[in-house]
Amino acid sequence: MLRATLLAAIAVLASAPARAQLSAGPQPPAVSWKDRLGERVPLATPLVDHEGRSVTLDDCLGERPAILALVYYECPMLCNLVLEGLVQGLKGVGLEPGRDFDVVAISIDPEETPELAAGKRTSALERYGITADDPRAGAWRFLVGGATEVNAIADAVGFEYAFVPATGEWAHPAGVTVLTGDGTVARVLQGVEFAPRDLRLALVEASDGRVGTWVDQALLLCFHYDPTRGRYGLAILWLVRGLSALTCLVLGAFVLHWLRRERRAARSALAEK
């Protein structure tokens, strides 16, 4: 018993410096995505596009909905996953950039240059399957800007980020924001993979029905956007109500048919008498 107690005490003393060292180290900044649905981004924010031209966010938006990706172009991993997931998802939505939607990527790193933006844009276009001279390529804007300007846009969509001096990288959440044509936050899709169904439904909703078909409107009755998950899910309540109503209609039709049949049989019996 005494030996076991001594061994336990030695183990605790030996592990104490390690725990102290771990707790004394720098903690990663807490970043999150706050709910800003319905908020409007600052359209007059000055930025620089991938060709080095001075533009505002208003210049990059129009009557079409837009997908806004806040990333940084030299990100070693997460931003590349977000952009890759966005490109792959958009390839399956059945909608055309420049006609149905726009794509706007903005670097959260104020030190990044238009040249970096141009390189990342070229890579995204190649993965999407179009060339730079394709008319659809004009709908893809990759931008840079100053810290104050980019932070104003990020704050408007609820996107939190912070620089980590220990690693020289930026901590940030993963996902994209879907904006209406006037810059209102319509939907936030979180993660690094974006289902074509989610992207399409978000664009249809952001366009107020101007994009998509009646089938999309019908799907929106069955799929509900969950802001806590940043995803569309089956609207179970609506489905149950619909099935219940259908069941009542079927039963009602059956009862009505049975009553009519009984009345006809009764009338036939009286006529025979």
Side-chain angles (χ1 to χ4, degrees):
M1 181 68 180
L2 179 60
R3 181 183 178 185
T5 303
L6 290 174
L7 290 174
I10 291 172
V12 170
L13 291 174
S15 63
R19 290 199 303 271
Q21 184 177 3
L22 289 173
S23 62
Q27 297 297 318
V31 294
S32 63
W33 209 317
K34 297 182 178 179
D35 187 356
R36 293 283 194 272
L37 297 180
E39 294 292 325
R40 198 173 182 186
V41 296
L43 297 177
T45 304
L47 299 164
V48 179
D49 72 5
H50 51 274
E51 295 183 348
R53 298 173 300 187
S54 296
V55 298
T56 65
L57 196 55
D58 194 28
D59 296 327
C60 303
L61 302 178
E63 297 182 357
R64 301 180 294 270
I67 301 174
L68 172 66
L70 292 171
V71 294
Y72 69 105
Y73 305 130
E74 290 190 310
C75 179
M77 183 175 66
L78 187 56
C79 299
N80 294 324
L81 294 176
V82 170
L83 290 175
E84 177 64 21
L86 177 60
V87 168
Q88 294 304 319
L90 288 176
K91 289 170 70 173
V93 298
L95 301 173
E96 291 291 337
R99 184 192 70 187
D100 301 314
F101 66 91
D102 293 303
V103 177
V104 180
I106 302 178
S107 173
I108 59 176
D109 185 349
E111 301 298 323
E112 292 197 322
T113 64
E115 289 76 19
L116 288 173
K120 189 62 68 173
R121 177 178 179 268
T122 298
S123 177
L125 291 177
E126 289 176 352
R127 293 197 302 275
Y128 187 71
I130 60 178
T131 58
D133 58 355
D134 190 303
R136 294 172 293 175
W140 296 69
R141 303 286 194 96
F142 280 60
L143 313 171
V144 296
T148 301
E149 290 74 20
V150 174
N151 188 64
I153 297 172
D155 184 63
V157 302
F159 184 91
E160 293 186 341
Y161 62 99
F163 184 66
V164 184
T167 61
E169 299 172 4
W170 293 82
H172 58 87
V176 296
T177 303
V178 180
L179 303 173
T180 64
D182 65 356
T184 300
V185 178
R187 292 289 179 256
V188 172
L189 303 179
Q190 299 181 22
V192 297
E193 293 184 349
F194 309 99
R197 182 202 66 200
D198 287 356
L199 285 169
R200 185 179 177 100
L201 292 179
L203 289 169
V204 169
E205 287 196 294
S207 72
D208 196 22
R210 292 189 301 274
V211 169
T213 65
W214 65 269
V215 176
D216 297 305
Q217 299 300 329
L219 284 174
L220 285 171
L221 297 177
C222 301
F223 290 90
H224 174 71
Y225 174 74
D226 182 358
T228 61
R229 297 175 58 245
R231 290 286 186 273
Y232 282 84
L234 191 62
I236 298 299
L237 183 58
W238 281 100
L239 183 61
V240 170
R241 288 175 177 174
L243 290 175
S244 299
L246 181 61
T247 301
C248 290
L249 287 174
V250 171
L251 288 176
F254 174 78
V255 171
L256 183 61
H257 174 73
W258 180 81
L259 289 175
R260 287 177 176 176
R261 183 178 178 181
E262 288 296 312
R263 288 173 182 173
R264 285 196 300 267
R267 284 195 297 266
S268 297
L270 289 174
E272 290 176 357
K273 292 179 180 180

